[in-house]
Amino acid sequence: MSRRALGALAAAGLVAALAACATDDPATPAASSSAAAYPVTVGSVTLPAQPVKIVSLSPTTTEMLFAIGAGGQVVAADDNSNFPANAPKTELSGFQPNAEAVAAKSPDLVVLSTDANNVVAQLTTLKIPVYVAPAAVTLEDTYKQLAELGELTGHKAEATALTQQMKDDIAKLVKDLPKRATPLSYYYELDPTLYSVTSKTFIGSLFELAGLKNVADAADTKGSGYPQLTAESLVKSNPDLIFLADTKCCKQDLAAVQARAGWAGMTAVSKGQVIALDDDIASRWGPRVVDLVRAIVDAANKVPA
């Protein structure tokens, strides 16, 4: 499996006023806009007071923290946290975290998505609270993580409002889709070696919301959720839509897939129904998931019913 596909697998398993907060670069928010009683306990994490120095080691949690108004409390973010633009991106790695380097930031809360290098135990030994927000499997997981981060950071009201706005936006998007006698089929590309996702994954569930049929499901003989398709089987499946989640990493676009052997005759390619997604939005499960649903719905709406 390619590094790109492995990364997506690790990440996935791989938005109105508040929506704008999630999709635009927000200004650094106030430290807290809702009264919170401390100590606060979420799972195994107890904070004696509102955290004022948060280190985020995941691009998704960085986006979540800023979206709920806790961005001003984030003093350091990992080297892949590129959104929002004012996130304090540093040299810290989320894939290979170094406990000593994290501790050097003197955080009173560390938020991460994977316990690589046994970093959770190391930070706990140093008496640094750690909240783990693993890759979401469902949208409910995303909403739960937003709520828990709201509790921990003193932004419960903002987190509640954001999740409701996300739910409302997604419901409106899928409600407006045209009714079809036969659902549109799609192929979602993680990388040019044809790794994809099935309907059982977080990404796949978003396409199911939009009523699309995944051509990769049949290829998942191992039940991983991330099968690698053969070029022959993919051409034969002839999807109506192709979504490329490898535009930044691998420079894939309509012209690139047109040049692949046998692809020019596929319905999605011949009709120009190849959608170039933002790799980052497509691999994160935070507030910008609404943007991904919007891209899916917009693409489906352009195909005559």
Side-chain angles (χ1 to χ4, degrees):
M1 184 180 289
S2 69
R3 182 176 179 177
R4 164 66 182 166
L6 281 169
L9 179 58
L14 108 324
V15 224
L18 278 169
C21 291
T23 54
D24 300 330
D25 287 359
T28 300
S32 177
S33 59
S34 61
Y38 286 87
V40 163
T41 298
V42 172
S44 61
V45 183
T46 296
L47 299 181
Q50 185 177 27
V52 296
K53 298 180 72 175
I54 301 172
V55 170
S56 174
L57 296 179
S58 158
T60 295
T61 57
T62 300
E63 293 190 18
M64 287 180 167
L65 288 165
F66 274 80
I68 63 173
Q73 295 152 258
V74 180
V75 296
D78 73 290
D79 55 359
N80 282 308
S81 285
N82 55 5
F83 187 90
N86 58 332
K89 182 178 174 181
T90 70
E91 77 288 351
L92 293 175
S93 172
F95 286 108
Q96 295 295 328
N98 181 306
E100 289 185 2
V102 174
K105 304 294 184 182
S106 302
D108 45 19
L109 176 64
V110 173
V111 182
L112 47 74
S113 295
T114 57
D115 186 16
N117 292 347
N118 202 28
V119 68
V120 173
Q122 294 182 64
L123 292 172
T124 301
T125 299
L126 296 171
K127 301 188 183 306
I128 298 174
V130 182
Y131 173 77
V132 182
V137 179
T138 67
L139 273 172
E140 289 303 319
D141 293 339
T142 292
Y143 300 144
K144 180 182 179 186
Q145 290 176 9
L146 286 167
E148 291 181 345
L149 285 171
E151 288 272 0
L152 288 169
T153 63
H155 295 275
K156 181 178 179 179
E158 294 94 326
T160 299
L162 175 60
T163 55
Q164 188 59 56
Q165 187 67 60
M166 291 174 66
K167 292 177 181 179
D168 292 346
D169 287 346
I170 290 174
K172 184 176 187 309
L173 284 167
V174 300
K175 178 178 177 295
D176 293 339
L177 277 166
K179 304 299 180 186
R180 299 177 186 275
T182 302
L184 296 171
S185 61
Y186 77 96
Y187 161 64
Y188 182 92
E189 181 166 290
L190 287 173
D191 71 9
T193 66
L194 309 187
Y195 273 98
S196 188
V197 301
T198 71
S199 300
K200 295 181 180 179
T201 64
F202 179 79
I203 294 295
S205 71
L206 304 182
F207 283 90
E208 280 211 322
L209 280 176
L212 275 63
K213 182 179 178 181
N214 192 335
V215 301
D217 286 351
D220 192 19
T221 57
K222 298 180 179 177
S224 70
Y226 299 89
Q228 183 181 29
L229 283 67
T230 65
E232 293 77 10
S233 67
L234 185 53
V235 170
K236 185 178 181 181
S237 67
N238 193 26
D240 297 301
L241 295 160
I242 293 176
F243 293 85
L244 301 174
D246 51 2
T247 58
K248 290 183 178 177
C249 70
C250 313
K251 311 301 181 189
Q252 297 304 296
D253 55 19
L254 175 59
V257 298
Q258 281 177 326
R260 297 176 185 176
W263 283 55
M266 296 169 67
T267 297
V269 179
S270 64
K271 294 186 176 181
Q273 293 165 184
V274 177
I275 298 90
L277 300 172
D278 181 305
D279 295 19
D280 294 336
I281 293 175
S283 63
R284 299 174 188 177
W285 59 96
R288 290 197 293 168
V289 71
V290 178
D291 293 352
L292 179 54
V293 174
R294 182 176 292 109
I296 296 168
V297 169
D298 286 349
N301 277 333
K302 291 178 181 176
V303 179

